[in-house]
Amino acid sequence: MGNCLDSAKKSAAEIAPSELIKSPPVIKLYGPPNSFATSQIRLALLYKPVTLHFVPSEAHENPTVIYKSDVVSGSVEDVLRYLETKFPDPPLTVTNNSTSSIWGWCGETTPLVVWVVVLQHRSINWHLERMVKWAEDMAARGGNVRGDPSMGSPRMEVKKFGKSYSQLLQVMLEHAQMEETVLFQILESADRGLCKSANEEHAKHLPIMNGIKEEIKTIGVMNPGSPDYQEGLVNLSSRLKKLRDNCKQHFEEEERELLPLMEATELNKSQQEKVLQQSLDVMRETHSHLFRFFMEGLRPHDAMQYFDLIKRYCDNVRVSLMLHMMVD
């Protein structure tokens, strides 16, 4: 995720003599397989440079971690604190100084939904950048040279590319719908017309997003390596770059000009929780079968922060489902 899960890895044997290769440390985790706490520890360990041996055990009431001679059991917080001490990189938590501001304003008094929106921006930006690089690589090869063997033939790779883009498209559509039906409604009720420009930007992005989807379909039925195929890949790369640049600028404008105004709406704690719940309800697919895909776009500490936000305000059944999407 973000930058760390499912990233392409070169075999260590290709870059170092075998005697210099160090295997990652082994962590054993015991706990009930359907336990919320156990799943949360498993999620955290996905981001650490360790090999996890998970042993389902109903005999352990709390998650229990064994590393070398250390045996650590207790609350999720206790176990996470231990893991952060033993394996500090990458960090799963950040200091107050490093999370205290976005554009110099976002801090402890910022409504919860603003943090959710900002973290969603980060995931979408990361995935857009990934898709641009992938499209550029396909265009450079032009269907004449295969890339990563795991991608298969050129036509198989285009299908995989189309599937990945469809997932990103769904996340982006749900994100825009959430902003328009929840966030912007709150701001508009305080100052009519405040979100007009942002809504117009959403409308401009939609044809580009749908055009990319159709371009991928068209390329998928062409003969790999043909002039039309190569031209299609170049056009696809160009469209994705435009979408990436437009979204990046749009997100920056929102975070600089609109989101700071959410604090002035003076939502109380109950209202904040309701707004956050509404936001998650709108983005139902993002927080179900697309959750792993979405979380891949976040840095480890951002991913853990996002999960911490939603676990506090979603029902346990829904949160457990999201956890299982990540670790199973």
Side-chain angles (χ1 to χ4, degrees), residues 73-85:
S73 183
S75 68
V76 171
E77 291 73 19
D78 290 337
V79 176
L80 290 180
R81 195 176 301 113
Y82 169 80
L83 293 173
E84 285 289 83
T85 300

Side-chain angles (χ1 to χ4, degrees), residues 156-326:
M156 292 165 67
E157 183 175 10
V158 170
K159 288 182 180 179
K160 292 177 186 290
F161 187 93
K163 178 182 178 180
S164 187
Y165 179 75
S166 293
Q167 292 174 321
L168 175 57
L169 180 61
Q170 184 61 36
V171 172
M172 293 177 71
L173 290 174
E174 288 192 342
H175 173 79
Q177 184 183 10
M178 178 274 292
E179 289 190 332
E180 292 167 6
T181 60
V182 181
L183 196 71
F184 292 174
Q185 292 298 314
I186 296 172
L187 291 170
E188 286 281 334
S189 66
D191 186 349
R192 187 176 178 84
L194 194 60
C195 302
K196 179 181 178 182
S197 177
N199 277 314
E200 290 174 348
E201 284 296 311
H202 285 186
K204 289 179 183 178
H205 293 163
L206 190 57
I208 302 174
M209 292 158 62
N210 289 332
I212 291 171
K213 184 176 181 179
E214 293 305 313
E215 185 83 57
I216 296 170
K217 289 181 180 179
T218 301
I219 294 171
V221 297
M222 290 179 175
N223 292 322
S226 68
D228 287 344
Y229 182 88
Q230 294 174 354
E231 182 181 358
L233 289 175
V234 171
N235 290 339
L236 174 63
S237 177
S238 178
R239 288 191 182 196
L240 276 166
K241 288 177 185 176
K242 182 178 180 180
L243 179 61
R244 175 200 62 188
D245 294 344
N246 287 354
C247 285
K248 183 178 180 181
Q249 181 180 349
H250 173 65
F251 292 161
E252 288 177 353
E253 290 173 353
E254 280 190 353
E255 292 174 16
R256 186 174 56 246
E257 299 170 8
L258 276 184
L259 297 186
L261 300 177
M262 279 296 295
E263 197 163 328
T265 61
E266 298 181 338
L267 299 176
N268 60 39
K269 183 178 180 181
S270 176
Q271 289 171 323
Q272 285 196 45
E273 293 177 4
K274 182 179 179 181
V275 168
L276 183 57
Q277 184 65 59
Q278 290 173 337
S279 301
L280 298 176
D281 286 342
V282 172
M283 300 184 68
R284 188 160 293 277
E285 290 192 43
T286 299
H287 297 97
S288 56
H289 70 280
L290 293 177
F291 189 59
R292 183 181 177 90
F293 173 87
F294 168 79
M295 293 283 274
E296 285 173 358
L298 294 175
R299 293 171 295 180
H301 63 266
D302 283 340
M304 295 303 289
Q305 181 186 8
Y306 192 87
F307 180 75
D308 185 62
L309 283 169
I310 62 177
K311 79 173 184 182
R312 284 188 275 167
Y313 304 105
C314 281
D315 63 84
N316 288 340
V317 174
R318 188 172 178 184
V319 174
S320 295
L321 176 62
M322 285 186 275
L323 274 173
H324 286 300
M325 292 294 296
M326 295 291 297

Side-chain angles (χ1 to χ4, degrees), residues 29 33 37-46 52 54 324 327-328:
L29 172 64
T38 302
S39 295
Q40 193 170 351
I41 299 300
R42 291 176 68 189
L43 172 63
L45 286 168
L46 288 177
L52 172 63
F54 173 56
H324 286 300
V327 301
D328 292 338

